[in-house]
Amino acid sequence: QGAKYRGSIHDFPGFDPNQDAEALYTAMKGFGSDKEAILDIITSRSNRQRQEVCQSYKSLYGKDLIADLKYELTGKFERLIVGLMRPPAYCDAKEIKDAISGIGTDEKCLIEILASRTNEQMHQLVAAYKDAYERDLEADIIGDTSGHFQKMLVVLLQGTREEDDVVSEDLVQQDVQDLYEAGELKWGTDEAQFIYILGNRSKQHLRLVFDEYLKTTGKPIEASIRGELSGDFEKLMLAVVKCIRSTPEYFAERLFKAMKGLGTRDNTLIRIMVSRSELDMLDIREIFRTKYEKSLYSMIKNDTSGEYKKTLLKLCGGDDDAAGQFFPEAAQVAYQMWELSAVARVELKGTVRPANDFNPDADAKALRKAMKGLGTDEDTIIDIITHRSNAQRQQIRQTFKSHFGRDLMTDLKSEISGDLARLILGLMMPPAHYDAKQLKKAMEGAGTDEKALIEILATRTNAEIRAINEAYKEDYHKSLEDALSSDTSGHFRRILVSLATGNREEGGENLDQAREDAQVRPPEIADTPSGDKTSLETRFMTILCTRSYPHLRRVFQEFIKMTNYDVEHTIKKEMSGDVRDAFVAIVQSVKNKPLFFADKLYKSMKGAGTDEKTLTRIMVSRSEIDLLNIRREFIEKYDKSLHQAIEGDTSGDFLKALLALCGGED
């Protein structure tokens, strides 16, 4: 772990504390202060060097440097500079003192600090708090918090987490069983078990526990915590789990949330930038870039101003959107993270399965009764159709016609309408015919729904594509290729037509070929200049549209090794419009298809208004393939379940049908 330094602030070469003390004194002397000089000196020195400057300042001028800085500076800039001047443990102690002083408690601050610090950092924090305030930190925490939240904070404060990397498989299995029995299998929850195991076991041990918990229960530990715990205790335990999985990822997420939307949570931004600048800022930056598709530097730049902004950017240490800034070690780690994630979820699971004791006769009669006479029994229609597999629905259609001499689809169309009709009728169609219809609709009338074309053609298997071609020809008496050719143009058309052939290779990876394929890259990061973007797009198409998924995963990894960039980042930077969107969809589908669909679902429901067409299309088409996997990716990325998102964004019978397809609350 200590092999490579991953902070953004380093010891300043040729450091002279007396010289720095004099320069700071001069910057604060007289009317006004030279803020540029102050921030330049302080952000260019390590914390150890800053302590020497404080000592020299007192020796030279008999004054306290931090007191003078507080007097000269104001607002956020003052808070940031003063935070940098304190030793890390004293900075943490001050943050916690502020969090529990006065009326109310800043629980988020307590959670962030106490869930993320190592044993050694925790011991230093307790000692610093005692030294600075002549008070016992544990007693103050107990006096300001309560319940299970308080108990877990006290456990973390002890700094006694096991640090042995030798893991017992038997103990892993026992902890998994204990957590399962304390939560999912128990009426009520045994919080003490969660506190003991998550508060004391080593990080290495707990990572294996989390993996085994997913295999044993079919859901991530985070889902059980959300289901079994609540309030600040739930938030604390989720933070502990995130820090055990990856502390830099936890802080990347905290930074993003501190700056997204209206307003900036400056206290959080300052606390993290100060505390991580000499620990893991480079890792945080890399994960931030990979996860949020923008650099931490650019987000700080767009969200802050003045000397405050300049200081934060110095602490950030570089812009990962700039050429040559993407760190190869962290880029490869990021790649391995999602590659392992995809492998761990290789068993795809739908939420809709064949009904036990299926009786097409009874279902056909129940549906006829639900539509006969005045009014329609939508609940019965939803219940039957969402709880049968597609193959069983086709049997019901046939039985309905045999019994009543009527077409079930026609009857359903006349009885239900709007979003519910689109959803139910979509479920009643064979998958290939449903996809064919969605493609036809995307190309009908004025304008083309390029997003729908991309979503379907970039994510279907060869067998699915061939079935779609047959269905399209059968239903519309025209080949899919001809339809795409007449409705799209240029490189975008070529990409779609290539995907629509359903001829992607299906073998494993070829390392030599992967290295050759990975050399297809933009002129500014290639070894030799060649500026033809057209040929670049053609070469990308040749590889992305024809190579097998396992091979492309290897190509992406080799691409990172050669360029220090993720291929998705490069496509977004170098290309535009529908061509870019199609290539990005292919790459995301290769990396982790359930995550691709989770993102699409989230975007269909976020903000004002709902994209019901996309929502319906994905819920129908993935319900028997990988909707359970999509649910897991959704909750891991967005901190809310798909069930919750649908519940908050739709209503009525459409909502009921969607929740039935969703199959459960994570």
Side-chain angles (χ1 to χ4, degrees):
Q1 189 177 339
K4 288 198 175 180
Y5 178 73
R6 300 299 290 161
S8 54
I9 299 294
H10 303 259
D11 279 340
F12 186 73
F15 170 63
D16 183 339
N18 285 339
Q19 191 176 314
D20 284 349
E22 289 170 15
L24 287 169
Y25 183 76
T26 303
M28 293 186 283
K29 199 167 75 172
F31 187 73
S33 54
D34 185 350
K35 296 181 180 66
E36 286 273 359
I38 293 169
L39 77 87
D40 189 53
I41 291 170
I42 290 174
T43 58
S44 301
R45 309 298 184 265
S46 67
N47 192 276
R48 180 187 60 78
Q49 290 175 331
R50 292 180 208 127
Q51 303 318 308
E52 290 187 51
V53 174
C54 278
Q55 192 58 52
S56 293
Y57 194 90
K58 184 160 273 186
S59 299
L60 289 170
Y61 305 108
K63 294 162 69 89
D64 182 71
L65 176 54
I66 289 180
D68 279 6
L69 287 166
K70 280 183 176 178
Y71 180 78
E72 290 292 331
L73 310 177
T74 58
K76 295 174 285 193
F77 180 52
E78 176 220 321
R79 188 178 175 92
L80 178 55
I81 291 295
V82 169
L84 288 167
M85 292 307 301
R86 290 194 177 100
Y90 285 81
C91 193
D92 279 351
K94 176 71 164 66
E95 290 293 324
I96 286 187
K97 187 74 169 67
D98 289 347
I100 56 180
S101 293
I103 298 169
T105 305
D106 183 353
E107 289 86 2
K108 288 182 179 177
C109 172
L110 294 180
I111 289 169
E112 179 198 297
I113 293 174
L114 298 183
S116 65
R117 299 316 191 242
T118 64
N119 287 346
E120 182 59 32
Q121 288 168 336
M122 207 68 84
H123 299 153
Q124 291 171 358
L125 163 59
V126 170
Y129 192 92
K130 186 81 170 174
D131 181 50
Y133 306 111
E134 297 180 352
R135 296 178 65 87
D136 181 66
L137 177 53
E138 183 179 323
D140 282 1
I141 291 282
I142 289 171
D144 212 64
T145 58
S146 61
H148 297 298
F149 178 58
Q150 175 198 90
K151 289 173 190 169
M152 185 61 177
L153 290 177
V154 170
V155 168
L156 294 172
L157 265 180
Q158 306 314 301
T160 53
R161 184 178 296 286
E162 296 162 2
E163 294 183 329
D164 188 358
D165 281 343
V166 178
V167 177
S168 159
E169 287 184 24
D170 290 342
L171 188 55
V172 167
Q173 293 297 338
Q174 185 61 54
D175 282 350
V176 169
Q177 193 59 34
D178 287 348
L179 287 171
Y180 192 41
E181 289 175 359
E184 300 286 337
L185 295 182
K186 189 178 176 68
W187 181 261
T189 307
D190 181 359
E191 290 87 353
Q193 279 286 22
F194 279 84
I195 290 171
Y196 176 72
I197 293 170
L198 294 180
N200 290 283
R201 300 287 194 240
S202 73
K203 285 192 168 188
Q204 184 64 26
H205 173 90
L206 284 170
R207 288 181 192 124
L208 292 176
V209 168
F210 299 161
D211 290 343
E212 284 302 314
Y213 191 91
L214 177 61
K215 289 178 192 170
T216 303
T217 67
K219 60 166 66 176
I221 188 70
E222 291 91 338
S224 289
I225 288 172
R226 289 186 183 95
E228 298 298 324
L229 312 180
S230 62
D232 293 322
F233 181 45
E234 175 197 342
K235 290 171 189 166
L236 173 59
M237 297 306 258
L238 287 173
V240 169
V241 170
K242 284 177 182 175
C243 288
I244 285 160
R245 288 193 188 278
S246 168
T247 304
E249 185 168 2
Y250 170 71
F251 283 114
E253 186 180 307
R254 291 279 295 157
L255 285 168
F256 180 75
K257 287 180 177 176
M259 291 182 281
K260 78 167 185 173
L262 291 171
T264 305
R265 296 176 183 83
D266 293 292
N267 287 355
T268 301
L269 183 54
I270 290 167
R271 189 167 56 242
I272 297 173
M273 295 301 290
V274 169
S275 66
R276 311 314 291 187
S277 59
E278 293 184 47
L279 294 174
D280 51 8
M281 185 57 69
L282 302 190
D283 294 321
I284 292 168
R285 275 171 44 183
E286 283 311 315
I287 290 169
F288 193 99
R289 182 67 192 78
T290 304
K291 192 167 183 176
Y292 301 111
E293 299 174 4
K294 64 175 74 177
S295 68
L296 175 59
Y297 189 97
S298 66
M299 197 160 185
I300 290 171
K301 193 174 179 181
N302 294 330
D303 215 62
T304 57
S305 60
E307 282 84 13
Y308 175 54
K309 172 171 81 173
K310 290 175 186 173
T311 309
L312 288 170
L313 292 179
K314 286 277 189 98
L315 294 179
C316 186
D319 185 358
D320 300 308
D321 284 340
Q325 284 292 314
F326 210 61
F327 296 98
E329 301 94 338
Q332 286 166 44
V333 167
Y335 177 91
Q336 287 156 10
M337 278 170 64
W338 62 249
E339 186 180 48
L340 287 170
S341 171
V343 170
R345 292 171 174 78
V346 74
E347 186 187 354
L348 299 179
K349 288 184 179 178
T351 52
V352 175
R353 300 173 186 84
N356 297 323
D357 303 321
F358 172 58
N359 184 338
D361 227 37
D363 284 348
K365 287 174 183 173
L367 287 169
R368 175 70 179 141
K369 186 180 177 184
M371 294 185 283
K372 204 172 170 184
L374 284 173
T376 306
D377 181 357
E378 285 90 354
D379 285 348
T380 295
I381 294 171
I382 291 167
D383 186 55
I384 292 173
I385 291 175
T386 59
H387 291 96
R388 306 295 182 267
S389 68
N390 194 275
Q392 290 174 333
R393 293 181 206 126
Q394 303 318 309
Q395 285 182 256
I396 296 170
R397 283 180 69 175
Q398 188 58 55
T399 305
F400 195 89
K401 184 162 272 187
S402 300
H403 278 3
F404 308 111
R406 303 169 66 90
D407 181 63
L408 177 55
M409 294 285 278
T410 304
D411 280 8
L412 286 167
K413 274 183 189 175
S414 68
E415 293 291 329
I416 54 177
S417 60
D419 295 325
L420 178 64
R422 270 194 293 271
L423 182 65
I424 293 296
L425 292 169
L427 289 167
M428 290 304 303
M429 295 178 74
H433 288 266
Y434 179 71
D435 278 347
K437 184 174 184 182
Q438 297 307 303
L439 291 168
K440 181 76 163 61
K441 285 191 166 199
M443 295 183 278
E444 272 178 349
T448 305
D449 184 352
E450 292 86 1
K451 288 181 179 177
L453 296 179
I454 291 168
E455 178 203 302
I456 295 169
L457 294 174
T459 60
R460 301 311 192 247
T461 65
N462 283 344
E464 288 168 336
I465 292 282
R466 289 168 192 152
I468 292 168
N469 274 296
E470 288 177 21
Y472 200 94
K473 187 82 171 174
E474 181 185 333
D475 294 344
Y476 307 112
H477 311 294
K478 183 179 185 179
S479 77
L480 176 57
E481 183 180 330
D482 288 347
L484 290 167
S485 296
S486 62
D487 207 67
T488 57
S489 61
H491 283 291
F492 183 54
R493 175 173 64 197
R494 291 175 62 205
I495 293 165
L496 294 182
V497 168
S498 178
L499 292 172
T501 61
N503 285 325
R504 183 180 294 283
E505 296 165 3
E506 294 188 338
E509 65 180 59
N510 178 323
L511 186 54
D512 291 336
Q513 181 67 54
R515 285 174 179 154
E516 187 179 323
D517 288 345
Q519 289 176 18
V520 178
R521 52 195 192 270
E524 65 267 28
I525 55 174
D527 299 327
T528 55
S530 87
D532 185 4
K533 189 166 280 194
T534 300
S535 66
L536 178 69
E537 287 167 341
T538 301
R539 286 178 291 153
F540 264 71
M541 187 188 85
T542 303
I543 294 162
L544 292 178
C545 295
T546 65
R547 305 289 195 256
S548 73
Y549 273 29
H551 178 81
L552 283 173
R553 289 192 185 105
R554 176 60 62 189
V555 172
F556 298 164
Q557 196 156 24
E558 292 301 317
F559 189 91
I560 285 174
K561 289 176 187 172
M562 290 178 183
T563 68
N564 297 345
Y565 284 87
D566 184 274
V567 70
E568 187 178 333
H569 168 75
T570 301
I571 289 167
K572 286 176 178 174
K573 190 176 178 187
E574 294 299 321
M575 298 176 191
S576 60
D578 298 325
V579 170
R580 175 199 60 209
D581 293 345
F583 283 152
V584 166
I586 295 168
V587 170
Q588 290 178 343
S589 184
V590 170
K591 285 179 174 181
N592 187 337
K593 198 177 289 186
L595 179 57
F596 169 78
F597 283 115
D599 284 338
K600 293 280 286 181
L601 284 170
Y602 178 77
K603 287 171 184 171
S604 75
M605 293 182 279
K606 78 166 187 175
T610 305
D611 179 0
E612 288 89 355
K613 288 181 181 176
T614 300
L615 179 56
T616 300
R617 189 169 58 242
I618 295 173
M619 294 297 286
V620 168
S621 64
R622 311 313 294 182
S623 58
E624 290 185 56
I625 299 173
D626 55 3
L627 191 51
L628 193 59
N629 307 76
I630 292 167
R631 273 170 41 186
R632 286 177 187 157
E633 296 293 350
F634 195 99
I635 198 167
E636 282 187 27
K637 182 162 184 182
Y638 297 112
D639 276 339
K640 67 160 81 170
S641 68
L642 178 58
H643 190 284
Q644 288 172 321
I646 290 170
E647 212 167 26
D649 214 63
T650 58
S651 60
D653 292 321
F654 183 50
L655 166 65
K656 290 178 192 173
L658 286 172
L659 292 182
L661 286 181
C662 186
E665 165 71 280
D666 295 307

